[in-house]
């Protein structure tokens, strides 16, 4: 398994509270991604990073921000959590160049916003 | 906007039978991914298809890619119960600098294989 950990694995929070999810990798891969998974929607890209301090928005970025100050860590912040952000959040990583196209997924974080 | 459509979304089949899951996508892409997800688990990479005509096989699963038709298929041969899972296809949104800018996923095919 690719060396990806996510923390916390489960979280319950209240509406309006800021929340930060962490993704940590030990593979030294350049690309990191945050997705959310909801029933009926499959997985949708929130933000991604193509290097330290280099990030860009995905399909569903409203209400989320990210930061990447080190290669190994990619943080996702819900600035003011809402019930619509209740979801399972997956981090993924991939490398650069031929033979490194596979995106590997972390174990996921289940977030419930009350 | 890239759209990825899978069909069927739900499939119940018997052990020993063959079946195919289809994945259509709306814009040009040379990279197509297949994943498996078990209930409550993360996604496991099955195949990455990188060119027109690419075919990959692993055990009872075989995936192919036709970039001109914008179609990928995942074929299951002589299904067994252990293959019960949800299968997703995904397409690169784009790639810059050699890496992927992210994937657009289909909604998934929930596959149940009954003894």
């Amino acid at each position: 398994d690719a060396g990806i950990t996510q923390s916390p694995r489960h979280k319950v929070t209240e509406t309006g509270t800021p929340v930060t999810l962490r993704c940590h990798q030990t593979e030294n891969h350049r690309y990191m991604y945050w997705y959310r998974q909801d029933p009926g929607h499959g997985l949708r890209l929130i933000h991604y990073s193509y290097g330290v301090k280099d990030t860009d928005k995905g399909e569903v970025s409203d209400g989320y921000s990210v930061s990447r100050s080190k290669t190994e860590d990619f943080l996702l912040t819900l600035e003011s959590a809402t019930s619509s952000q209740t979801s399972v959040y997956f981090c993924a990583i991939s490398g650069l160049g031929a033979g490194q196209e596979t995106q590997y997924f972390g174990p996921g974080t289940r977030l419930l916003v009350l | 906007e890239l759209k990825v459509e899978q069909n069927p979304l739900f499939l119940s089949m018997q052990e020993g039978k063959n079946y195919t899951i289809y994945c259509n996508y709306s814009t040009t892409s040379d990279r197509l991914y297949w994943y498996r997800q078990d209930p409550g688990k993360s996604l496991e990479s099955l195949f990455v298809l990188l060119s027109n005509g690419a075919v990959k096989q692993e055990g009872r699963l075989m995936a192919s890619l036709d970039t001109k038709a914008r179609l990928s298929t995942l074929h299951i041969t002589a299904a067994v119960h252990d293959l019960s899972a949800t299968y997703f296809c995904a397409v690169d949104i784009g790639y810059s600098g050699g890496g992927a800018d992210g994937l657009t996923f289909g909604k998934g095919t929930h596959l149940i294989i009954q003894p």
Side-chain angles (χ1 to χ4, degrees):
Chain A
D1 291 346
I4 311 170
T5 56
Q6 293 185 231
S7 59
R9 294 291 313 279
H10 298 87
K11 186 170 181 67
V12 180
T13 192
E14 294 187 347
T15 298
T17 306
V19 175
T20 296
L21 309 183
R22 180 183 184 234
C23 177
H24 178 79
Q25 59 144 329
T26 58
E27 306 295 324
N28 200 35
H29 278 355
R30 176 172 172 174
Y31 290 81
M32 299 185 76
Y33 312 85
W34 279 107
Y35 295 89
R36 61 177 288 174
Q37 184 175 29
D38 305 289
H41 288 279
L43 281 87
R44 292 177 291 174
L45 181 68
I46 305 171
H47 281 278
Y48 65 99
S49 169
Y50 46 96
V52 174
K53 298 194 189 313
D54 292 324
T55 65
D56 207 345
K57 295 179 180 181
E59 178 188 356
V60 290
S61 60
D62 287 349
Y64 301 95
S65 62
V66 291
S67 65
R68 191 170 179 199
S69 59
K70 299 185 290 185
T71 297
E72 57 265 36
D73 289 326
F74 192 31
L75 303 180
L76 176 71
T77 297
L78 289 64
E79 294 142 9
S80 177
T82 67
S83 58
S84 65
Q85 294 176 312
T86 291
S87 188
V88 180
Y89 291 85
F90 287 101
C91 172
I93 65 173
S94 69
L96 174 65
Q100 298 194 60
E101 298 87 358
T102 301
Q103 284 195 20
Y104 298 98
F105 282 77
T109 294
R110 292 185 178 274
L111 176 67
L112 174 61
V113 183
L114 300 175
Chain B
E1 179 187 347
L2 173 61
K3 293 188 186 302
V4 180
E5 293 187 352
Q6 285 182 240
N7 68 83
L9 296 182
F10 181 82
L11 177 59
S12 179
M13 55 192 293
Q14 290 185 317
E15 281 192 328
K17 300 292 187 182
N18 304 331
Y19 209 80
T20 301
I21 299 170
Y22 297 88
C23 176
N24 290 92
Y25 54 98
S26 60
T27 60
T28 301
S29 176
D30 289 336
R31 298 190 187 187
L32 193 293
Y33 300 71
W34 284 97
Y35 287 90
R36 168 183 173 147
Q37 186 178 39
D38 294 306
K41 303 294 186 182
S42 184
L43 281 79
E44 173 190 355
S45 176
L46 295 175
F47 303 107
V48 181
L49 304 170
L50 299 175
S51 61
N52 185 43
V55 177
K56 290 193 174 181
Q57 184 165 4
E58 181 73 33
R60 301 175 187 273
L61 301 178
M62 183 175 71
S64 65
L65 178 61
D66 181 343
T67 58
K68 293 177 181 168
R70 297 175 188 167
L71 171 68
S72 180
T73 61
L74 180 66
H75 186 73
I76 303 156
T77 301
V80 294
H81 178 68
D82 286 352
L83 290 178
S84 296
T86 298
Y87 293 85
F88 291 95
C89 66
V91 178
D92 266 354
I93 294 170
Y95 29 101
S96 55
D101 291 345
L103 300 181
T104 297
F105 281 80
K107 293 190 187 317
T109 297
H110 184 50
L111 175 62
I112 296 176
I113 300 170
Q114 299 176 349

